[in-house]
Amino acid sequence: RCYWHFVKGTGIGRHDLQRLSNGDWNDGVILGNIPPEKHELINKEAESVLNAAMASYTLKLYSEMLIFIGDNEIGEHALNYSKIQCNAVHSQWNGNWFRRAWLSEELGWVGDDQMWLEPQPWAIISEAADQEQKSILVKNIDELLRQPSKIGAKLHSKGFESFVRKRGQGLNAWT
C-alpha cells in the first residue's frame, strides 16, 4: 500500500523525478527559501532530485526482496520505477554536481548555482552518477562542502537569501 501511494499518489513530475510534495529531508529547500504564498504551487509541481535518488536506490533493493519472495509483478514494477528515477537523476548533472530540486516553471531549479549536499551521496550509491561524474562530484564535495567547514560538511556551498534565516542559521548553511 505504501509503495503504490508513493508511485501513484505522490508520483513523478515533468522531469520524471519523484515529486517533492510538501518537502523532503531538508525543509530549507522550501521553508525560509520560498515565500509561503508560493507553497501551494510547489506542492503541485515540485520534484526532488534527493527523493528520486533515494527512490532509485531503495526501490531496487525493495524489488530484489519482492522477487525473492515470489512477488514478481510488483518486484518488476519497482525495478522499472527505480530505473526511471536513476535516469532522471542522471540527467540533473550540471557538470559539477546534481541539482537539488525543480520547484515550478516560475521558480525553476534549486541547485544550479550551488551544490546542496543531500542528493550527492545518493546519486553515487544509486548509480545515477557515472564514473567521471563520481570523480568530479567527490572532488567538489570535498572542496566546496567539507574543507571550508571545521565541524563537518556544510549542507550547501553557499547560503541563500532567506526571508526567515540569515546565512549560517538553521538549514541555511554557510561559514
Side-chain angles (χ1 to χ4, degrees), residues 65-105:
M65 290 187 300
L66 289 169
I67 291 169
F68 178 78
I69 64 168
D71 197 341
N72 295 335
E73 186 177 338
I74 297 175
E76 288 298 322
H77 189 278
L79 182 60
N80 289 334
Y81 198 87
S82 169
K83 289 176 182 178
I84 290 168
Q85 293 305 283
C86 187
N87 291 333
V89 171
H90 181 79
S91 69
Q92 298 317 312
W93 178 252
N94 73 3
N96 293 300
W97 56 75
F98 292 90
R99 294 177 176 124
R100 180 64 176 80
W102 166 260
L103 299 182
S104 70
E105 189 65 43

